[in-house]
Amino acid sequence: MGVVKRIISYPLSVIFYLFFGLTLVVFHPIQWFSYTVGGPKMHRGSVNLMNLFLLRCLHLLVVRVSYKNRHTLPKNRSLIIVSNHQSMFDIPLLSWYLRKYKPKFISKIELGKGIPSISYNLRKGGNVLIDRKNPKQSLPALTKFGKFISENNFAAVIFPEGTRSRTGKPKDFAQTGLKILLKNAPDALVVPVTINNSWKLLEYGNFPMGIGIHLTLEVQEPIEMGTSSVIDVIELTESRVKAAVHY
């Protein structure tokens, strides 16, 4: 980031965090009301609206977002959406643009408490919270999650890299979580997704934010399990995700 651009990023970052935080605070009671009065469907609508507002906050950083999908994805079938992971902003990006497929996320258990809106949604929105350090908790939770996705025709979103890439360069996939999902949702369509440039928002840490960035979300060619082995499907998925990453 150039010197002038970085100077400009300081006041813009302050404004961004003000509106970003305000969005989370405002939508927390909205989510509670939606879930309490209207149940999961109404709650899902409030979460979709929140994610739209969170993405609009990025415009305060002069950020542009593009979505590309040349493929027709079924709405009445379970999906396993497999994406690279570059920043926390990947979540609202995926949530909003793939909202009609009812995406549910795999998240670390620590995020289930203490964060307005986000923690509530993780607990009430059909997502799964796992303790990465405790296989006795995480493996059964993922198994149950895979069956839940399959039975309800939802979309499971998984970041097989685990921790996000801080340079944009994709990491090797950790296969355990994806194997469990594939085995417990064998009829699901696997959808590779590639995100580019969201790492640049946090290139210099949480403050100041990157500005003037073009974020892209691209859906790659879906993969049918068919008679293929789980390992073959994972390797093909990883290659399609990584092939479109620019760094």
Side-chain angles (χ1 to χ4, degrees):
M1 188 187 300
V3 175
V4 174
K5 196 172 182 180
R6 191 162 185 176
I7 291 172
I8 295 172
S9 72
Y10 279 94
L12 292 183
S13 297
V14 171
I15 296 170
F16 164 79
Y17 275 119
L18 176 63
F19 279 89
F20 187 85
L22 186 62
T23 299
L24 295 182
V25 170
V26 168
F27 271 93
H28 190 90
I30 292 175
Q31 281 193 64
W32 176 86
F33 178 83
S34 299
Y35 186 86
T36 303
V37 174
K41 185 175 182 180
M42 186 173 175
H43 175 245
R44 187 163 57 245
S46 70
V47 171
N48 288 340
L49 190 60
M50 178 188 72
N51 283 306
L52 174 61
F53 272 70
L54 292 176
L55 289 179
R56 291 291 178 261
C57 288
L58 289 174
H59 293 330
L60 297 169
L61 299 171
V62 202
V63 169
R64 186 163 55 98
V65 181
S66 296
Y67 170 63
K68 183 187 296 184
N69 179 16
R70 301 189 184 94
H71 313 283
T72 301
L73 303 180
K75 296 181 184 178
N76 58 347
R77 181 179 175 185
S78 55
L79 307 177
I80 297 177
I81 298 170
V82 185
S83 175
N84 62 318
H85 193 21
Q86 296 189 345
S87 82
M88 63 180 178
F89 299 100
D90 299 341
I91 287 86
L93 197 62
L94 287 161
S95 296
W96 174 250
Y97 285 103
L98 299 176
R99 63 193 180 279
K100 60 184 175 182
Y101 307 107
K102 303 172 185 175
K104 311 296 179 183
F105 288 81
I106 299 170
S107 175
K108 57 185 181 181
I109 200 166
E110 295 87 349
L111 297 180
K113 294 180 180 179
I115 308 173
S117 284
I118 293 174
S119 296
Y120 187 87
N121 178 44
L122 288 174
R123 294 194 311 272
K124 299 294 188 179
N127 308 284
V128 62
L129 296 165
I130 62 170
D131 184 349
R132 295 176 181 175
K133 299 178 182 178
N134 183 5
K136 291 183 179 180
Q137 183 274 338
S138 61
L139 300 184
L142 286 171
T143 298
K144 184 178 179 181
F145 182 61
K147 293 176 180 178
F148 170 72
I149 292 299
S150 180
E151 292 168 359
N152 293 278
N153 290 330
F154 291 153
V157 181
I158 184 170
F159 300 110
E161 291 171 292
T163 56
R164 64 180 183 262
S165 170
R166 299 183 183 279
T167 63
K169 183 177 181 179
K171 301 178 181 180
D172 292 335
F173 280 13
Q175 297 188 357
T176 302
L178 193 47
K179 282 181 181 177
I180 293 173
L181 287 183
L182 290 170
K183 288 179 179 179
N184 288 280
D187 296 327
L189 182 67
V190 181
V191 183
V193 170
T194 305
I195 292 172
N196 275 300
N197 297 329
S198 75
W199 69 274
K200 294 180 181 179
L201 288 166
L202 302 174
E203 185 176 5
Y204 299 98
N206 292 322
F207 191 86
M209 299 284 291
I211 63 173
I213 295 163
H214 181 197
L215 303 186
T216 65
L217 172 64
E218 182 177 358
V219 175
Q220 310 301 337
E221 183 180 354
I223 301 167
E224 292 279 5
M225 274 287 290
T227 58
S228 302
S229 70
V230 168
I231 297 299
D232 287 343
V233 171
I234 291 175
E235 290 178 351
L236 179 58
T237 303
E238 183 173 6
S239 68
R240 288 186 180 174
V241 171
K242 290 183 175 181
V245 176
H246 309 300
Y247 59 92

